[in-house]
Amino acid sequence: MASTYYSYQAPPLKHYQMSLERIDKFISEIYFTDVNLQSRLLAKHVAPTTLSHFKADGRFDFKLAQCAEYEPVEVGYNFGPIWSSHWFKVNFQVPKDFVSGLSEDEEVLFYWDTCTEATIWDENTSAPIGAFSCAEPHGNVRDYIPVTNQLKSSTSLSFLIEVACNKVLGEGKGSFIGPPDDSVSYTIRKCRLSVRNSKVKALIRDLQLLHDIAKELKDEERGFTALYVANEIINLLQLEDADASNRALSLSSQFFAEGNGAGQHVIHAVGHCHMDCAWLWPYDETKRKCSRSWSATLELMDRYPEWTFACSSAQQYKWVQTLYPGLFQRIKQSVASGRFIPVGGSWVEMDGYLPSGESMCRQMLFGQKYFIENFGIQCTEFWLPDTFGYSAQLPQIIQHFGMTRFFTQKISWNLFNKFPHHTFFWKGLDGSKVLSHFAPGDSYHMEAKVGEFVKTIRNFEDKGRSCKSIFLFGHGDGGQGPTEDMLENLKRLKDVNGLPRVKLSTPGEFFSSIEQTDLQNLCTWSGELYLEMHNGTYTTQSKIKWYNRRCESLLHTLEFLGTLCYVSNLREYPFKELDAIWESVLLNQFHDVLPGSSVEIANIDARKIYFQALSSGTTLLTDLLHTLSTENSAHEVGNAPTHLPTVVNSLGWSRTEVVAVEHTPCVEQKDSEGNSYCLVTVCGYSVSPCTPCIEYHPVTVRQTSFADGSGETIIMSNNKVYAEIDRAGCLTVLKYVLDPISQTYSRNLLSGNANQFTLYDDIPLFWDAWDVMDYHQETRRCLTEVLTSAIVKEEGPLRCSVEVTLKISNSSHIKQLIILEAKSSCIKVECNVEWNENRKFLKVEFPLDIVSDHVTYESQFGHIRRPTHRNTSWDSAKYEVCCQKWMDLSDYSSGVAILNDCKYGCSVTQYSTLSLSLLRAPKSPDPTADMGSHQFTYAILPHGGSIQDSGVIQSAAALNTPLIVMDEVPKVAASSLFTTDQPSVVIDTVKLSEDSRETGSRCVIIRCYESFGGSCEATLSLSPNYTMSSAKECNGLEREVEDLKIKQHSFTASFGPFKVKTFKILF
């Protein structure tokens, strides 16, 4: 039934689809453009008076561009190549009658199109003021700016345009995620002034919305009404009637003014511009993308003052602050007015699985600190819309840094299961809960189209529990953000019968509305948010992941040593150096860089950044070690070593390990290459002379032949582990020692050959660098061709080793050194791989004779369990998962852990076969991914009892944080700086407090976590060589929340399961 508020002529007979097509063709930019509504849109045109060009040598050279020599060019001019930068000067001398003849319905636009991204600069302020962009094959995102106001004061217009030779989503060859096409060139396709009829443009927008409502609500009364109104408008506009446009606009306005009831779903529309720090382009291009997108956003805010823009990633703000200070000042003003809204509270939108727990903390510490210092704002929403899964510890970490809300949408990409909620509580590993929302439109770059609003309300999983959702509008991934068309659509659709109500809003306003009315109705999801897709990113770009782990370990050690130097009055704490290293590492943890899903040029940049971070960190490490020690001027007297080496242990517990040494009297073993080894014991968090272990059970290795002459095996053992190794390096027997005195062993924990390398075909459906599909498991092939049979390289007594080389293919091989050391529970495997494959997947597997329904995997600040079975679709989806430094399969009596020093991908098959994922070979978007040489180490740890009692956690940490041996004499006393009486409580970080930068206070931060999964009371103690004046528990931002009672040099704190706590100690 037609509305009573307005009238239209509904034809007696109407074919629905034909009518939809009629509307579509009447506003089409492709079909019948000489007679449809598009033919009335643009009237007069003015060509540029002059157009000239300058090719720059690089990016960020505005001053050079101002004074450069430009060559005349014309529309149609070709330039390139990809990633190059070009500048164009455009001048218009506009005829007076061109402006004076404008009606109130006409406006002048400057059109520019080179099928690239481009920035318009204001030469007076030296700041970007707008942008053009092309996202082909999807068409232009933005190809004009309004200039009517400028022409009111002058008939001369000049523009300085910086052109970046790439589209919004790069230049993939074959597909948008393909490697960049180096042969591409670009052309000036448009450069003109044109007069646009604003009424015609409004009618085009109205008809498009009416068409879409009729299409989306095809079987509903409101859909028919939209169809008939649009049909009537077209009929009106066919008349030779000067008032036809006004009558048509009145008809559409009446349709859009017919509102909803009070109980309709409310969509909170928030402007957004998802900006990948790097992806199909390098970091440096993102810096310009920020300037383009944010200057265009501010220009749009000047014309549409009612909307707000949410923007994450402190790193990107800092780039703009450094490179575009004028633009940054405009952003600060907009932030102060509440329209440009920092969100997320992190340095970048990092990966949700791969960074360590402390790295995640620093993402938020650096991010929140930046927003507080520069804008006076502390974010309350953690914003991570596009990462590839979310750690179970994120809710606790989010809360620890002052955020109580979480937003994403990525889990909508699941391949197996539809996630059951959109608004819910997310419960973390320790029991912390955060209010969470997934945009039900399944996107973070909506375009304010009718279909998106309809999908949002139909897709919403929490109907009856809540009636609100977030709608992020604005082009994303490569930036650009909201457009004029989006904002015009939102104005029309804010309250339209048949559609959800639309409210221009902010993230804070949305979450507050949920908190005020809906909390009691919401469900809870407990544990990780596993993305059933993109699980190949746990392995792709192995070198980047190697760098990340090395940097995390190095920073841990540097901060401890810097703190020890400071509290010992030996030097200032190296805030500046550490900040620079941390910022580099945090940047590279961006969710397309650390996962390995970026183009080659971005990966090259990432490796350079990591290399510089490691280089700077190593230099600082040397400086700190020298500060803490005194050089021994006489290493030898009569060729005899005169002193014990100094050992640095930056972990929180005592360690007894074999180390390589020089100039020391405690050498127990030398190998054929001249390396010297001794067995030392050193206390936790200390720099002290090593204590040689005089009594120990030597490690042994022997080679034996089978009685039937069928082959040989090598037996390695010490007082903790027994293993048999075949000629291909496979472990055929693995036992742990039950009684070292009687040398009794456990049963063999293997059900087949372990340390078995396997190769798989790895051809996903589309997302090459991202995805490993479940069917890859059907292509398993064992690597059995031996190039060099297992041979004993070292025979003890401290260390024995076996070397073997295997063929992978004609162009790839792997050499492994299998090592067992005295007093070690681990068999280490050092691997050197030459890898030159095409879409292959290399794993190493360990079939175990252990029955359990779950495998335990280390996560950030704890561990989680995942099933060994495939009972449900949720279980089946987890055929490739992520861990930090270890995974373990155990039953009640025994188990085996696999430790690693830089790997993240892993899996379990056949209920009890553990596999560690080593290397992939995708070809898009980086055809060189993982090609070349690789070095990595993993270890096998058989044990009795539980994970908690067997040293798995400590052994994995030790593998990643080796003892440091130096030849100098320490200046500090040989004692642990910090200790705890609870083995379950790990002192994970020791650093100087942030407020010590300004105040000079001697406050030290220690961050601890409960690692076993249980509650306890822990006493944390300071070395008696120092004085503890006060101790306070604080949050992650180091704001004090509770005073703690000090007893001598210690204090006591309560820990729940997997609880993370931060303490501030005044020396």
Side-chain angles (χ1 to χ4, degrees):
M1 183 172 103
S3 168
T4 58
Y5 293 100
Y6 54 98
S7 61
Y8 55 87
Q9 182 67 47
L13 295 173
K14 201 67 181 170
H15 188 280
Y16 206 97
Q17 186 60 38
M18 187 182 298
S19 297
L20 280 176
E21 288 286 336
R22 184 193 187 196
I23 304 167
D24 182 60
K25 296 302 188 292
F26 190 66
I27 57 176
S28 172
E29 295 181 354
I30 301 173
Y31 302 103
F32 308 112
T33 55
D34 58 332
V35 293
N36 71 7
L37 201 52
Q38 296 288 346
S39 66
R40 312 179 200 178
L41 181 62
L42 300 179
K44 297 179 288 184
H45 308 283
V46 173
T49 306
T50 61
L51 174 60
S52 54
H53 164 255
F54 160 66
K55 181 179 180 181
D57 291 331
R59 301 175 176 94
F60 317 123
D61 48 10
F62 172 71
K63 291 183 178 179
L64 175 62
Q66 280 184 301
C67 59
E69 293 187 8
Y70 286 72
E71 298 291 332
V73 294
E74 296 179 347
V75 173
Y77 175 73
N78 288 292
F79 58 97
I82 185 175
W83 308 131
S84 61
S85 297
H86 298 256
W87 292 78
F88 293 89
K89 282 187 175 180
V90 186
N91 177 261
F92 291 94
Q93 296 299 324
V94 183
K96 290 183 179 180
D97 60 350
F98 182 82
V99 179
S100 60
L102 292 177
S103 72
E104 62 179 14
D105 298 327
E106 292 179 317
E107 57 184 339
V108 182
L109 306 177
F110 168 48
Y111 280 88
W112 175 268
D113 178 16
T114 52
C115 201
T116 66
E117 294 189 88
T119 308
I120 314 165
W121 286 81
D122 185 329
E123 293 195 68
N124 295 321
T125 62
S126 300
I129 56 173
F132 301 108
S133 56
C134 178
E136 285 192 345
H138 307 294
N140 284 307
V141 173
R142 187 178 283 108
D143 65 352
Y144 65 84
I145 61 168
V147 295
T148 308
N149 289 336
Q150 292 94 308
L151 288 173
K152 290 178 180 178
S153 58
S154 174
T155 57
S156 177
L157 288 178
S158 294
F159 302 101
L160 184 59
I161 303 172
E162 177 191 17
V163 172
C165 286
N166 53 269
K167 298 185 182 73
V168 171
L169 294 181
E171 287 288 1
K173 189 173 185 178
S175 75
F176 82 97
I177 64 165
D181 186 353
D182 294 333
S183 67
V184 70
S185 63
Y186 304 89
T187 303
I188 303 176
R189 304 194 299 191
K190 293 179 190 174
C191 180
R192 68 170 189 262
L193 298 180
S194 295
V195 175
R196 187 176 75 178
N197 188 300
S198 58
K199 283 187 177 179
V200 173
K201 184 62 178 178
L203 283 165
I204 290 172
R205 289 178 174 131
D206 288 354
L207 284 169
Q208 183 66 64
L209 292 176
L210 289 166
H211 169 276
D212 292 349
I213 291 171
K215 179 181 177 181
E216 295 295 334
L217 306 181
K218 184 175 181 180
D219 297 323
E220 300 178 27
E221 179 179 337
R222 192 63 171 161
F224 280 93
T225 303
L227 186 77
Y228 295 156
V229 168
N231 189 75
E232 179 75 2
I233 288 174
I234 294 174
N235 291 337
L236 281 171
L237 294 173
Q238 301 288 6
L239 303 175
E240 295 295 330
D241 184 343
D243 196 44
S245 293
N246 291 331
R247 290 158 56 200
L249 284 171
S250 176
L251 189 57
S252 61
S253 295
Q254 291 176 67
F255 176 90
F256 293 126
E258 187 174 8
N260 275 301
Q264 183 60 275
H265 189 98
V266 177
I267 285 178
H268 289 249
V270 180
H272 187 238
C273 173
H274 182 67
M275 185 81 70
D276 287 335
C277 288
W279 181 29
L280 304 176
W281 52 86
Y283 284 131
D284 279 350
E285 196 53 53
T286 302
K287 297 170 186 176
R288 294 201 294 187
K289 283 176 176 286
C290 290
S291 74
R292 289 190 286 264
S293 301
W294 297 355
S295 61
T297 294
L298 293 174
E299 186 275 330
L300 207 55
M301 282 182 171
D302 290 339
R303 291 189 283 138
Y304 295 86
E306 66 275 11
W307 69 287
T308 61
F309 180 76
C311 187
S312 69
S313 302
Q315 170 68 90
Q316 295 178 5
Y317 287 83
K318 186 175 181 181
W319 280 338
V320 171
Q321 184 179 18
T322 303
L323 296 169
Y324 307 96
L327 175 60
F328 186 74
Q329 288 305 312
R330 293 175 62 204
I331 290 171
K332 285 192 74 171
Q333 294 170 5
S334 189
V335 171
S337 67
R339 301 188 61 202
F340 200 111
I341 304 169
V343 292
S346 59
W347 191 246
V348 299
E349 290 184 11
M350 77 281 192
D351 184 84
Y353 271 141
L354 303 177
S356 69
E358 187 58 31
S359 287
M360 287 187 172
C361 287
R362 297 309 174 89
Q363 286 285 352
M364 297 179 200
L365 177 62
F366 275 64
Q368 290 281 48
K369 188 167 179 281
Y370 181 88
F371 291 135
I372 292 168
E373 290 178 352
N374 288 277
F375 304 117
I377 287 175
Q378 177 181 313
C379 299
T380 59
E381 303 89 13
F382 183 55
W383 195 269
L384 203 57
D386 191 32
T387 199
F388 313 143
Y390 303 85
S391 165
Q393 272 290 29
L394 272 171
Q396 179 179 192
I397 297 172
I398 291 168
Q399 283 193 347
H400 201 50
F401 285 85
M403 292 177 279
T404 58
R405 303 151 167 179
F406 171 56
F407 171 80
T408 188
Q409 62 79 46
K410 195 66 175 184
I411 302 300
S412 66
W413 284 44
N414 275 2
L415 287 178
F416 288 72
N417 302 281
K418 181 176 174 60
F419 194 78
H421 302 295
H422 284 103
T423 304
F424 62 102
F425 286 109
W426 181 21
K427 183 179 177 182
L429 198 57
D430 75 314
S432 298
K433 287 185 178 182
V434 291
L435 176 59
S436 303
H437 182 71
F438 294 177
D442 296 345
S443 176
Y444 47 75
H445 42 69
M446 301 287 205
E447 298 180 34
K449 295 181 177 179
V450 171
E452 296 167 341
F453 293 116
V454 172
K455 178 180 179 179
T456 292
I457 191 169
R458 289 177 177 171
N459 196 43
F460 187 59
E461 288 287 335
D462 295 283
K463 296 180 180 73
R465 301 183 186 280
S466 179
C467 60
K468 313 171 187 72
S469 59
I470 276 185
F471 183 97
L472 297 184
F473 65 93
H475 294 288
D477 287 333
Q480 292 307 314
T483 65
E484 178 183 295
D485 284 340
M486 296 177 196
L487 290 167
E488 288 289 343
N489 285 357
L490 288 166
K491 281 186 359 183
R492 288 162 170 78
L493 298 177
K494 62 183 178 180
D495 189 11
V496 175
N497 186 15
L499 296 177
R501 298 170 72 183
V502 180
K503 178 181 182 179
L504 290 172
S505 186
T506 69
E509 185 178 355
F510 165 75
F511 279 109
S512 293
S513 70
I514 296 292
E515 290 163 348
Q516 290 167 9
T517 61
D518 300 339
L519 293 185
Q520 71 278 9
N521 298 323
L522 302 182
C523 297
T524 297
W525 179 272
S526 182
E528 69 177 329
L529 293 169
Y530 178 82
L531 177 64
E532 298 169 356
M533 200 177 186
H534 291 2
N535 41 20
T537 60
Y538 311 148
T539 305
T540 306
Q541 295 290 351
S542 174
K543 290 179 182 176
I544 284 178
K545 292 171 171 64
W546 181 90
Y547 272 122
N548 180 70
R549 189 75 66 83
R550 296 285 74 71
C551 286
E552 287 176 338
S553 175
L554 179 58
L555 280 162
H556 168 88
T557 299
L558 290 173
E559 291 186 325
F560 158 63
L561 293 176
T563 302
L564 186 60
C565 284
Y566 183 77
V567 298
S568 301
N569 299 313
L570 296 176
R571 63 160 286 168
E572 291 297 312
Y573 188 79
F575 278 116
K576 182 178 179 181
E577 296 93 329
L578 288 170
D579 284 351
I581 299 170
W582 265 119
E583 287 187 12
S584 295
V585 173
L586 298 179
L587 169 61
N588 275 347
Q589 288 174 346
F590 176 73
H591 66 253
D592 276 309
V593 175
L594 182 54
S597 50
S598 292
V599 291
E600 181 182 6
I601 188 172
N603 293 323
I604 291 171
D605 285 348
R607 290 193 293 269
K608 287 179 180 177
I609 290 169
Y610 272 132
F611 180 83
Q612 182 58 50
L614 274 182
S615 178
S616 299
T618 302
T619 300
L620 178 58
L621 176 65
T622 301
D623 182 42
L624 292 171
L625 291 175
H626 283 316
T627 301
L628 286 163
S629 61
T630 302
E631 184 176 355
N632 192 293
S633 59
H635 292 308
E636 299 180 359
V637 176
N639 295 325
T642 60
H643 71 285
L644 295 172
T646 295
V647 181
V648 178
N649 178 12
S650 59
L651 296 178
W653 51 83
S654 177
R655 297 161 67 179
T656 298
E657 296 177 17
V658 174
V659 295
V661 294
E662 297 178 3
H663 308 300
T664 175
C666 62
V667 171
E668 294 285 343
Q669 179 181 334
K670 287 190 176 183
D671 65 17
S672 60
E673 297 178 358
N675 298 310
S676 299
Y677 300 99
C678 72
L679 184 65
V680 302
T681 296
V682 60
C683 56
Y685 279 122
S686 70
V687 176
S688 57
C690 71
T691 304
C693 292
I694 307 300
E695 296 182 2
Y696 62 90
H697 190 286
V699 64
T700 62
V701 59
R702 66 184 188 275
Q703 196 157 348
T704 62
S705 299
F706 295 127
D708 60 4
S710 61
E712 293 184 337
T713 187
I714 296 173
I715 299 173
M716 305 174 77
S717 65
N718 62 10
N719 65 332
K720 295 188 177 184
V721 181
Y722 173 94
E724 296 181 9
I725 304 168
D726 70 11
R727 64 184 295 270
C730 290
L731 276 62
T732 57
V733 176
L734 179 65
K735 304 176 180 180
Y736 60 89
V737 175
L738 294 171
D739 184 354
I741 297 176
S742 64
Q743 285 293 289
T744 54
Y745 301 101
S746 69
R747 63 184 175 85
N748 182 15
L749 299 177
L750 304 179
S751 62
N753 286 352
N755 198 40
Q756 172 68 64
F757 291 94
T758 53
L759 194 66
Y760 300 81
D761 292 340
D762 187 14
I763 306 172
L765 298 176
F766 178 72
W767 297 98
D768 202 353
W770 293 260
D771 286 350
V772 170
M773 312 312 296
D774 59 354
Y775 52 76
H776 86 279
Q777 297 173 339
E778 302 168 29
T779 67
R780 174 181 177 272
R781 176 169 66 87
C782 291
L783 300 181
T784 57
E785 187 172 348
V786 178
L787 297 179
T788 305
S789 295
I791 183 174
V792 175
K793 296 290 288 184
E794 299 168 287
E795 300 182 357
L798 292 181
R799 169 183 163 112
C800 67
S801 62
V802 173
E803 186 178 85
V804 62
T805 305
L806 298 175
K807 180 179 179 180
I808 299 172
S809 70
N810 289 334
S811 56
S812 303
H813 66 268
I814 181 166
K815 178 187 285 187
Q816 53 181 324
L817 191 67
I818 304 168
I819 303 164
L820 181 62
E821 295 174 338
K823 284 189 172 281
S824 174
S825 301
C826 300
I827 298 172
K828 292 193 293 186
V829 184
E830 296 178 354
C831 298
N832 286 272
V833 184
E834 287 297 325
W835 179 251
N836 297 284
E837 299 300 310
N838 181 9
R839 295 185 173 91
K840 299 293 182 182
F841 195 2
L842 181 67
K843 298 186 180 186
V844 60
E845 66 181 28
F846 307 87
L848 305 177
D849 186 17
I850 295 171
V851 178
S852 176
D853 65 356
H854 67 270
V855 178
T856 305
Y857 303 85
E858 188 189 33
S859 66
Q860 293 77 8
F861 299 131
H863 54 262
I864 64 172
R865 293 177 173 181
R866 299 186 181 109
T868 58
H869 54 75
R870 300 292 180 261
N871 286 356
T872 70
S873 59
W874 295 90
D875 302 328
S876 298
K878 296 180 180 179
Y879 56 85
E880 180 78 9
V881 296
C882 187
C883 74
Q884 283 286 306
K885 297 185 286 292
W886 58 266
M887 58 177 169
D888 182 279
L889 180 65
S890 295
D891 58 23
Y892 176 75
S893 63
S894 56
V896 175
I898 307 301
L899 323 178
N900 73 82
D901 76 340
C902 63
K903 300 300 174 185
Y904 297 90
C906 46
S907 58
V908 57
T909 56
Q910 304 300 316
Y911 302 102
S912 59
T913 296
L914 298 182
S915 292
L916 185 65
S917 301
L918 303 176
L919 294 167
R920 296 186 68 221
K923 300 304 173 187
S924 291
D926 180 359
T928 70
D930 283 330
M931 297 298 99
S933 301
H934 299 269
Q935 295 81 37
F936 51 84
T937 300
Y938 56 85
I940 306 108
L941 194 162
H943 61 83
S946 68
I947 295 168
Q948 290 82 350
D949 298 332
S950 58
V952 170
I953 298 166
Q954 292 82 358
S955 296
L959 180 67
N960 284 268
T961 311
L963 295 172
I964 299 172
V965 180
M966 58 181 181
D967 200 35
E968 288 80 12
V969 177
K971 293 179 183 177
V972 293
S975 64
S976 296
L977 184 60
F978 290 105
T979 58
T980 174
D981 66 341
Q982 287 290 344
S984 65
V985 173
V986 175
I987 303 174
D988 190 66
T989 297
V990 176
K991 63 180 283 288
L992 209 61
S993 68
E994 294 299 307
D995 55 17
S996 296
R997 297 170 187 264
E998 291 80 26
T999 65
S1001 63
R1002 295 167 61 82
C1003 287
V1004 171
I1005 295 294
I1006 61 171
R1007 191 155 15 253
C1008 310
Y1009 71 96
E1010 197 287 320
S1011 65
F1012 286 4
S1015 299
C1016 69
E1017 292 279 329
T1019 298
L1020 298 156
S1021 301
L1022 175 67
S1023 167
N1025 298 311
Y1026 303 92
T1027 301
M1028 184 187 298
S1029 300
S1030 67
K1032 301 176 188 293
E1033 184 176 342
C1034 55
N1035 65 12
L1037 297 173
E1038 301 177 14
R1039 295 172 181 166
E1040 299 161 8
V1041 296
E1042 182 183 357
D1043 287 332
L1044 300 170
K1045 185 177 180 180
I1046 299 173
K1047 186 177 181 180
Q1048 294 181 337
H1049 299 278
S1050 63
F1051 62 90
T1052 299
S1054 299
F1055 287 82
F1058 302 121
K1059 191 67 179 178
V1060 178
K1061 292 203 170 188
T1062 302
F1063 303 101
K1064 183 184 290 187
I1065 299 166
L1066 178 62
F1067 276 61

